[in-house]
Amino acid sequence: MAFGAIATNSSSLIKKNESGLSSFFSSSSRIQISKRSGSKKVVSVMAPPQTQRPPAATGSVKTAMTMTEKILARASERSQLDPGENVWVNIDVLMTHDICGPGTIGIFKREFGKNAKVWDREKIVIIPDHYIFTSDELANRNVDILRDFCMEQNIKYFYDIKDLSNFKANPDYKGVCHVALAQEGHCRPGEVLLGTDSHTCNAGAFGQFATGIGNTDAGFVMGTGKLLLKVPPTLRFVMDGEMPDYLLAKDLILQIIGEITVSGATYKSMEFVGSTVESLTMEERMTLCNMVVEAGGKNGVVPADNTTFKYLEDKTSKAFEPVYSDEQARFLSEYRFDVSKIEPLVAKPHSPDNRALARECKDVKIDRVYIGSCTGGKTEDFLAAAKVFLASGKKVKVPTFLVPATQKVWMDIYGIPVPGSGGKTCSQIFEEAGCDVPASPSCGACLGGPRDTYARMNEPQVCVSTTNRNFHGRMGHKEGQIYLASPYTAAASALTGFVTDPREFLQ
């Protein structure tokens, strides 16, 4: 299988050459070629001999730092940080939602007092998004608790929903928190964003430190604006080569997770660079960073560039200062991928690292397809699915559920013409293909949710999904089987009723 990955493991110093790619300056490396997935892995690299020199007379010499180290150094008011250090970090944005918000608020009130005020009402963002369109009284109560707290604290950024029968009647309601954070201008290069959701790492696409935290930590941040964090070491992923027109960022991150496993980046930063990454849109970069937690990553990060700055032009008026890894920054490991050799992938049940080529699973009969979530429910995800349906001219053979991440995505589905369609919108193409009508924007069935959640798996079915996790019970029924895939692969599979390589329709 031509997965096209080269992994370089080393704790020694790595430096860039003139082309922007990294090279070791050791002339005595031991290289072992692994047959697994066609990858080359440097098992150990001997650092070059170091010559002794006296200390600088002007004081200590600063060590080169990675992006993540620089962001945390600035946020902790330190000039230098090393992996493993524990530092008090000043937080720029704290996000919570209807699942963890009530618990966070309870801890905040217990520890700081019933009448305590939050540290900064303009730096807390509260977004109902998970269990919204349900008759479950406890789920509805969670949103009520958020609303009462935001009124009490005069929280500036609360994206409320009151009328559950018609989401469009709620102008403040957004939908999935991670996509809404980006669309509403809460993501900025160089900042620290924490959220009570494991996929908060999504925001690393903007060149910032973003990670998920628990309710207790969030309650502390809510009262102080600070958190004690351990500086993670950084893994670097260099992705080069022309992106084939049948691949999406979902394939890239499934490739990486399959390569390093679900524990391969435990409490490590994952930095994505290379010509392929530079060519990705912001939404695709978000997909890449969104799933680093599925490899155990503390955070994912993409260097900010003109693509980032252009996206932010109409999103935020706040000043920001991007940072970049130094040329001689130390990376724990480096992995290289020739993207032109990667094929469409899926993650088979029941783990995101259970990687397989989509074409190898062509005999897997499926019962349904789900396109949605913070990972696969953005505007470009639906445009990608529509592209496959348009190219085929056929109707889907299994129920195909569409759940836009946010109100804006929902409007884009109905308003943006699909390239090459003669002016048709995604919604028109989806209707012609026989898909379900796009649902109200939310996290939907990605997390299962109450039994009446739209598209929840209430039976032990087989589903191809653009979501991020395929553990037992993740989308509802504990015996359900979930194949994680890109929107291309999901749409192709909907058309055949089997797991299908999208090249069948795109070439």
Side-chain angles (χ1 to χ4, degrees):
M1 295 187 290
F3 286 123
I6 300 177
T8 305
N9 292 333
S10 172
S11 58
S12 63
L13 193 65
I14 299 175
K15 67 177 181 180
K16 290 183 181 176
N17 58 24
E18 292 179 355
S19 67
L21 303 181
S22 297
S23 61
F24 285 100
F25 46 85
S26 167
S27 59
S28 55
S29 300
R30 284 193 294 116
I31 300 179
Q32 177 180 321
I33 307 299
S34 167
K35 294 183 180 179
R36 178 179 177 269
S37 304
S39 66
K40 297 179 181 178
K41 190 170 186 179
V42 178
V43 178
S44 64
V45 177
M46 296 174 61
Q50 301 292 319
T51 57
Q52 294 281 27
R53 66 176 182 178
T58 55
S60 60
V61 178
K62 290 183 180 179
T63 305
M65 289 189 288
T66 66
M67 282 181 66
T68 292
E69 290 159 12
K70 283 187 176 182
I71 294 169
L72 294 179
R74 188 162 68 192
S76 60
E77 301 173 12
R78 293 272 300 274
S79 61
Q80 181 70 45
L81 280 182
D82 293 314
E85 285 193 69
N86 294 296
V87 289
W88 286 102
V89 175
N90 295 310
I91 310 307
D92 294 294
V93 176
L94 172 68
M95 183 280 298
T96 191
H97 49 49
D98 56 297
I99 299 298
C100 298
T104 296
I105 291 166
I107 291 167
F108 166 74
K109 287 181 173 290
R110 184 189 72 198
E111 299 299 327
F112 292 93
K114 291 184 178 180
N115 298 317
K117 292 296 181 182
V118 298
W119 108 93
D120 191 325
R121 73 176 193 87
E122 295 189 6
K123 291 187 176 182
I124 295 172
V125 182
I126 298 185
I127 309 178
D129 65 348
H130 276 65
Y131 301 160
I132 305 303
F133 302 102
T134 173
S135 60
D136 188 287
E137 292 182 359
L138 296 179
N140 298 157
R141 185 192 66 176
N142 276 4
V143 180
D144 294 339
I145 292 171
L146 298 184
R147 185 181 303 113
D148 292 343
F149 181 75
C150 288
M151 290 180 64
E152 169 196 309
Q153 297 283 338
N154 194 23
I155 299 296
K156 184 175 182 178
Y157 300 109
F158 173 47
Y159 299 110
D160 195 10
I161 181 167
K162 294 179 180 177
D163 186 349
L164 302 183
S165 65
N166 177 17
F167 72 88
K168 295 188 290 295
N170 304 271
D172 292 337
Y173 177 69
K174 301 303 173 186
V176 177
C177 58
H178 309 301
V179 181
L181 282 169
Q183 292 177 343
E184 299 304 313
H186 299 296
C187 301
R188 290 175 289 270
E191 292 192 353
V192 175
L193 184 155
L194 303 181
T196 58
D197 189 287
S198 58
H199 293 106
T200 301
C201 49
N202 185 87
F206 290 84
Q208 66 183 128
F209 179 86
T211 195
I213 58 174
N215 293 2
T216 304
D217 280 349
F220 185 85
V221 173
M222 197 171 269
T224 66
K226 299 177 182 293
L227 190 64
L228 185 66
L229 289 173
K230 184 170 74 171
V231 181
T234 299
L235 304 178
R236 196 180 214 199
F237 298 85
V238 183
M239 311 192 84
D240 286 309
E242 185 176 352
M243 185 95 150
D245 59 8
Y246 47 79
L247 288 188
L248 292 169
K250 182 66 169 289
D251 296 295
L252 304 186
I253 192 61
L254 288 180
Q255 160 70 6
I256 289 171
I257 297 169
E259 194 73 21
I260 68 174
T261 79
V262 290
S263 60
T266 301
Y267 210 94
K268 297 176 180 68
S269 175
M270 296 173 67
E271 181 175 321
F272 302 102
V273 297
S275 59
T276 306
V277 177
E278 292 167 6
S279 72
L280 296 178
T281 64
M282 285 310 300
E283 289 196 358
E284 285 285 82
R285 295 178 188 188
M286 287 160 65
T287 300
L288 203 58
C289 290
N290 179 278
M291 286 187 66
V292 302
V293 69
E294 314 313 337
K298 181 66 173 176
N299 69 302
V301 69
V302 174
D305 58 12
N306 286 334
T307 301
T308 319
F309 306 143
K310 185 173 179 59
Y311 181 94
L312 291 172
E313 279 179 1
D314 61 347
K315 304 287 192 306
T316 182
S317 58
K318 291 187 177 181
F320 54 80
E321 186 180 347
V323 299
Y324 304 92
S325 292
D326 291 324
E327 285 192 5
Q328 295 189 345
R330 295 169 298 178
F331 297 95
L332 188 65
S333 304
E334 182 173 279
Y335 293 80
R336 291 177 171 274
F337 297 87
D338 181 348
V339 171
S340 67
K341 295 181 180 179
I342 297 176
E343 297 184 50
L345 299 167
V346 296
K348 299 186 293 185
H350 295 279
S351 178
D353 65 358
N354 195 10
R355 178 186 62 186
L357 296 176
R359 61 180 172 84
E360 293 178 327
C361 302
K362 59 183 173 52
D363 295 328
V364 176
K365 190 176 186 304
I366 65 172
D367 302 301
R368 49 159 53 199
V369 166
Y370 185 96
I371 301 174
S373 83
C374 54
T375 318
K378 303 178 292 298
T379 297
E380 291 174 10
D381 297 316
F382 288 103
L383 284 169
K387 179 181 175 181
V388 175
F389 291 137
L390 183 68
S392 75
K394 299 178 180 179
K395 287 189 176 291
V396 298
K397 292 187 176 180
V398 294
T400 302
F401 304 103
L402 311 170
V403 186
T406 64
Q407 279 222 51
K408 183 184 183 307
V409 174
W410 188 92
M411 290 188 288
D412 288 345
I413 288 174
Y414 282 87
I416 295 180
V418 176
S421 69
K424 291 181 180 178
T425 63
C426 287
S427 61
Q428 291 172 308
I429 293 171
F430 294 151
E431 183 178 2
E432 291 173 0
C435 302
D436 263 34
V437 175
S440 300
S442 75
C443 295
C446 175
L447 192 62
R451 193 168 180 83
D452 63 350
T453 298
Y454 173 77
R456 185 184 191 273
M457 288 176 66
N458 291 324
E459 297 175 8
Q461 296 179 315
V462 179
C463 178
V464 172
S465 178
T466 65
T467 55
N468 43 56
R469 287 179 179 151
N470 57 351
F471 309 135
H472 289 282
R474 171 68 183 186
M475 295 184 73
H477 201 286
K478 63 183 179 181
E479 294 177 15
Q481 296 184 51
I482 304 164
Y483 286 77
L484 302 179
S486 76
Y488 280 163
T489 301
S493 302
L495 290 165
T496 65
F498 293 83
V499 174
T500 301
D501 189 314
R503 286 177 288 188
E504 289 195 19
F505 301 103
L506 294 178
Q507 289 189 335

